[in-house]
Amino acid sequence: MVADPVLLQAAADLFPNGISRYAVGGLLVGLGTVLIYIGTGIPAGASTFLESTLSYVSDQSRFQQYVGSRDWRLVFTAGIILGGLAFAATFQSGLVTSSLYEPGTTGQLYEVAGVTLWQTDVQPWRLFVGGILVGIGTRIGKGCTSGHGVCGVGSASKTSLVGVLTFLTVAIGTAQVVAALGVSP
Amino acid sequence: MSDRHPLFKPLIFVGGIVFGFGLGFSHMARPEVVLNFLQFEDLGLPFVMFGAAIVSGIAFALLPRIRDAAPLTGDPYERRLKPFDRNVLVGGAVFGVGWGLSGICPGAAYASLGVGNVTILWALAGMFVGAYAQGYWRSRRQARDTAATGAD
């Protein structure tokens, strides 16, 4: 097989960190979803946790519909946080390495008790304002990147496909505008 | 609920760990990496979402043919499709502005806390504020609509 060096270079420019860490990470995200689905029949998304947890502290009628699922959603979210920590304690700390894992150069690394942790350089105001919009949007739009993007697309739901196309297009436009305005990081 | 299988929560917990580990491994828990994708500087990210959707899609398609109901809940394996309405577009657009501004979405934000990103607490605080604001508004609207119907 003859590989065209120009094409190879173009592909390398589009994927500066390769694709394996993304693909393997995605397979694991899918596997976590599948484990829960096999045992419970629940296609779990991550964003309902926001409203279900608010039902502990607010008696607004909107949140009461999540009282039945709020306990296991806390457990799911605790698992996600612990999964992130397990990744930090292994691959991020360099304790485990693999040709499938490409370390990154973004943000700041720091160490606590022998575990290499990571912190973003993205400014707090962007995270906070973005978080507010994400919180509003995901609940009005009935799902997020996992509920619509993984479970919805996985079940070939037209609603979810439209949801994903909407937020993907708007997010790309927003990120381009923000970058063009010179906001960084 | 008290009548749930004793393994219900442990399984959810293990599923969450695998899910969060995958978000860490894929670097989707790093806002910079998400922003690099949205700015077309690194196109790897769709492999996360679509890779996950393919894996879950296979399970969603196969399981209903193998078994009738899930062992831990007795719930049938069925497609629980969300109805389409204008909210999907409005909410999706608002979500998109937030995602494009911050590089953060709910699942990835929880995992981000796990990889040590304490700054992400700003995003989590924002998400709760946003989710509360929409819940407050929709509770009021629902109460008003119910009252209006009742008066008819």
Side-chain angles (χ1 to χ4, degrees):
Chain A
M1 204 174 86
V2 183
D4 182 341
V6 177
L7 274 179
L8 275 182
Q9 187 54 47
D13 286 346
L14 294 175
F15 300 100
N17 297 298
I19 58 166
S20 63
R21 80 176 184 203
Y22 296 113
V24 171
L27 296 183
L28 289 170
V29 170
L31 189 65
T33 310
V34 167
L35 274 175
I36 293 172
Y37 183 72
I38 289 177
T40 67
I42 300 170
S47 65
T48 310
F49 165 76
L50 300 169
E51 280 193 273
S52 68
T53 304
L54 283 167
S55 76
Y56 288 108
V57 294
S58 165
D59 53 8
Q60 294 292 325
S61 62
R62 168 74 193 176
F63 303 124
Q64 301 313 308
Q65 60 182 302
Y66 300 107
V67 166
S69 73
R70 64 187 184 182
D71 289 355
W72 72 254
R73 289 185 193 280
L74 270 180
V75 173
F76 181 46
T77 301
I80 295 175
I81 296 172
L82 204 69
L85 182 62
F87 160 77
T90 52
F91 286 90
Q92 190 163 277
S93 296
L95 190 69
V96 183
T97 54
S98 160
S99 58
L100 294 172
Y101 178 69
E102 180 77 31
T105 55
T106 57
Q108 308 292 329
L109 293 170
Y110 65 104
E111 251 184 63
V112 173
V115 177
T116 304
L117 299 173
W118 178 91
Q119 202 166 359
T120 186
D121 283 335
V122 173
Q123 302 171 63
W125 76 265
R126 291 180 75 173
L127 298 174
F128 185 65
V129 177
I132 292 175
L133 295 169
V134 163
I136 296 172
T138 179
R139 300 324 307 146
I140 291 179
K142 307 177 191 187
C144 63
T145 31
S146 58
H148 276 323
V150 176
C151 294
V153 170
S155 33
S157 151
K158 288 199 185 76
T159 299
S160 290
L161 285 166
V162 172
V164 170
L165 280 177
T166 307
F167 66 62
L168 206 51
T169 312
V170 174
I172 288 170
T174 305
Q176 303 277 353
V177 169
V178 170
L181 290 173
V183 180
S184 171
Chain B
M1 265 174 265
S2 54
D3 57 345
R4 279 214 174 112
H5 195 283
L7 288 177
F8 178 77
K9 279 181 186 163
L11 180 83
I12 298 268
F13 190 56
V14 172
I17 289 174
V18 176
F19 190 97
F21 189 94
L23 287 170
F25 193 94
S26 66
H27 281 206
M28 194 156 165
R30 300 189 175 193
E32 285 93 330
V33 174
V34 176
L35 293 171
N36 280 344
F37 160 66
L38 296 172
Q39 292 163 19
F40 304 135
E41 283 160 17
D42 178 351
L43 299 189
L45 214 72
F47 284 87
V48 183
M49 199 158 73
F50 293 111
I54 289 167
V55 173
S56 62
I58 292 170
F60 293 169
L62 282 183
L63 274 165
R65 292 160 203 254
I66 298 170
R67 286 181 66 112
D68 288 333
L72 303 187
T73 55
D75 289 350
Y77 289 122
E78 60 185 12
R79 294 172 77 200
R80 262 164 285 176
L81 300 179
K82 296 171 181 167
F84 181 82
D85 55 37
R86 204 166 54 96
N87 279 344
V88 176
L89 297 176
V90 175
V94 176
F95 179 88
V97 175
W99 198 35
L101 177 65
S102 63
I104 269 299
C105 59
Y110 317 147
S112 198
L113 193 58
V115 303
N117 188 11
V118 286
T119 317
I120 205 70
L121 288 169
W122 284 103
L124 286 166
M127 283 179 204
F128 277 109
V129 169
Y132 182 78
Q134 71 83 34
Y136 182 86
W137 174 68
R138 292 172 101 178
S139 299
R140 286 299 153 102
R141 201 181 52 165
Q142 192 187 23
R144 195 190 58 205
D145 290 352
T146 316
T149 329
D152 263 352

